[in-house]
Amino acid sequence: MKETDILVTGAGPAGLGAAIEAARSGARVLLADENRKAGGQLYKQIHKFFGSKAHHAGARGFQIADQLLREAEEAGVETWLDSRVLGLLDDGSAAVLRNGVVEPVSARRTVLATGAKENALAFPGWTLPGVMTAGAAQTFSNVHGTLVGRRILTVGSGNVGLIVSYQLMQAGAEIAALVEAAPQITGYQVHAGKIRRAGVPVRTSHTVVEARGRDRVEEAVIAQVDDHFRPIPGTEETLAVDTILLAVGLTPRAEISGMFHCETTYEGALGGILPIHDACMRSSCPEVYVCGDLAGVEEASTALEEGRLAGLHAAQSLGFSRPDGAERMETLQESLRALRSGAHAARRLACKERIIAKGEGGSHHVGE
């Protein structure tokens, strides 16, 4: 059986941040990820981040991933790739599927950073080849250099829909239109401005109602929706497209947190069902921490800071200390407050405060 102080599940920005902080505090850290490459969604991000220098403004996502991987290696983090944490065994150890064999891992603390999954949208023809999630298209384009279509309809105006649409245009595709069921664009205007300036029609209060084609998508039917998001008869419009991208939100991958007996709550603005946690990212199970999109879908910068906070606190709870520990903890919490200070994040901030209030009600202090 493999023994470690802290097991981190998921090597995206949250998991990497947790592993780095915990290892720098002196803890033995095992970082496991089901993919063959660490870095998570950061390796799909070819655009420059914006915000403050502390939050990697001006750097591209894959550059941030490379930097974090170097930091993890320098800190002594042990990394298992192509290794999936399946859940708990009867003796309390974690079952990790590695090289085709289930290997038990005994960890004193576990940090879950399993991320989120893309939502689907059902409509007539949605199973035709050519209908896919925006994240899948981004993986094909930015990771594998393969363009999924030439003339594309994007459904959803969150940051994922806006960013992926622009990146596919850079790769040579035409975005026939972007439709959004809400009466306004839901992502950042800086991303929306890019595709609008490129001439992409953005139709708010519209949705896709049908995909048509013989062997794959050949047409998409869109329609205006009413105040209850129901298509309005007579407003249908047919677009000639070969691809329909679904960018209709993300849901936390909370299944494994249930296996670890973490209490959950529901917050629609943060993606749905997610684990309750306190201000230090500790779940209702005192040995388990949650961070990143699993703890509520936000931004990559927020996920990284939550991961750092979880890793630092997890190490401290085991008695590992560092001279700057208290100062570092306050800096990370202040950084999260700054990231959630904008008007665009006000609703998510309110949701986070409710979750933390629930988590603090049964919180465990460092050293317990």
Side-chain angles (χ1 to χ4, degrees):
M1 178 183 293
K2 174 71 175 180
E3 294 185 354
T4 188
D5 293 318
I6 299 174
L7 170 64
V8 180
T9 302
L16 283 168
I20 291 167
E21 292 293 331
R24 285 177 176 172
S25 298
R28 294 174 301 164
V29 180
L30 174 61
L31 174 64
D33 192 279
E34 64 186 353
N35 296 295
R36 295 182 178 179
K37 188 173 185 178
Q41 298 300 312
L42 288 173
Y43 272 112
K44 300 180 186 180
Q45 309 305 326
I46 61 174
H47 60 282
K48 291 183 178 180
F49 280 40
F50 58 92
S52 67
K53 183 178 180 181
H55 299 134
H56 303 283
R60 303 182 190 277
F62 63 88
Q63 295 171 326
I64 299 171
D66 287 342
Q67 177 185 333
L68 293 173
L69 290 172
R70 286 194 298 270
E71 292 178 10
E73 183 177 1
E74 291 168 359
V77 174
E78 182 178 358
T79 303
W80 287 3
L81 297 178
D82 203 11
S83 301
R84 184 169 189 173
V85 178
L86 303 175
L88 284 177
L89 297 172
D90 291 341
D91 62 1
S93 62
V96 182
L97 181 61
R98 185 183 186 218
N99 299 324
V101 177
V102 175
E103 185 168 349
V105 174
S106 176
R108 300 165 67 193
R109 296 288 185 271
T110 300
V111 178
L112 301 179
T114 50
K117 54 193 174 185
E118 291 186 278
N119 297 335
L121 182 66
F123 49 87
W126 76 300
T127 58
L128 279 171
V131 180
M132 67 180 66
T133 62
Q138 189 180 44
T139 300
F140 274 112
S141 177
N142 295 356
V143 178
H144 302 294
T146 301
L147 198 59
V148 297
R150 290 293 176 182
R151 185 171 164 82
I152 298 169
L153 169 69
T154 301
V155 183
S157 70
N159 288 329
V160 172
L162 297 171
I163 290 171
V164 173
S165 293
Y166 186 69
Q167 291 175 351
L168 291 176
M169 292 175 66
Q170 291 178 304
E174 176 187 0
I175 306 300
L178 184 148
V179 296
E180 167 60 54
Q184 69 284 321
I185 290 174
T186 58
Y188 290 137
Q189 290 299 321
V190 65
H191 299 312
K194 290 181 180 179
I195 65 170
R196 278 181 158 159
R197 288 192 295 271
V200 176
V202 178
R203 309 282 186 85
T204 54
S205 297
H206 278 73
T207 191
V208 61
V209 295
E210 185 180 0
R212 296 173 179 167
R214 180 181 294 273
D215 297 317
R216 61 162 295 127
V217 172
E218 298 173 5
E219 294 179 339
V221 181
I222 63 174
Q224 188 175 349
V225 298
D226 60 21
D227 293 340
H228 300 285
F229 303 108
R230 295 174 300 201
I232 300 174
T235 64
E236 295 85 0
E237 180 181 351
T238 301
L239 303 176
V241 297
D242 58 21
T243 307
I244 299 174
L245 299 187
L246 305 179
V248 291
L250 303 169
T251 298
R253 292 180 62 184
E255 295 86 355
I256 197 167
S257 68
M259 299 180 194
F260 280 85
H261 312 296
C262 299
E263 185 181 350
T264 59
T265 187
Y266 181 89
E267 291 290 352
L270 293 175
I273 296 175
L274 50 93
I276 291 171
H277 59 80
D278 64 17
C280 295
M281 311 310 299
R282 204 170 195 177
S283 75
S284 60
C285 177
E287 294 82 20
V288 179
Y289 292 74
V290 296
C291 54
D293 283 350
L294 169 62
V297 177
E298 296 185 85
E299 314 294 338
S301 296
T302 307
L304 176 58
E305 299 295 65
E306 283 191 346
R308 292 189 189 280
L309 185 60
L312 179 61
H313 193 275
Q316 289 185 354
S317 74
L318 292 173
F320 295 99
S321 62
R322 46 196 266 193
D324 66 338
E327 181 182 355
R328 180 64 170 156
M329 189 82 69
E330 177 55 35
T331 298
L332 290 168
Q333 291 181 330
E334 179 58 36
S335 177
L336 284 169
R337 286 191 288 268
L339 286 168
R340 294 171 178 142
S341 63
H344 197 90
R347 188 180 175 199
R348 295 199 303 270
L349 173 59
C351 292
K352 267 292 182 180
E353 289 176 341
R354 284 197 296 270
I355 293 168
I356 291 173
K358 293 177 182 178
E360 297 286 1
S363 65
H364 299 262
H365 300 287
V366 171
E368 288 186 353

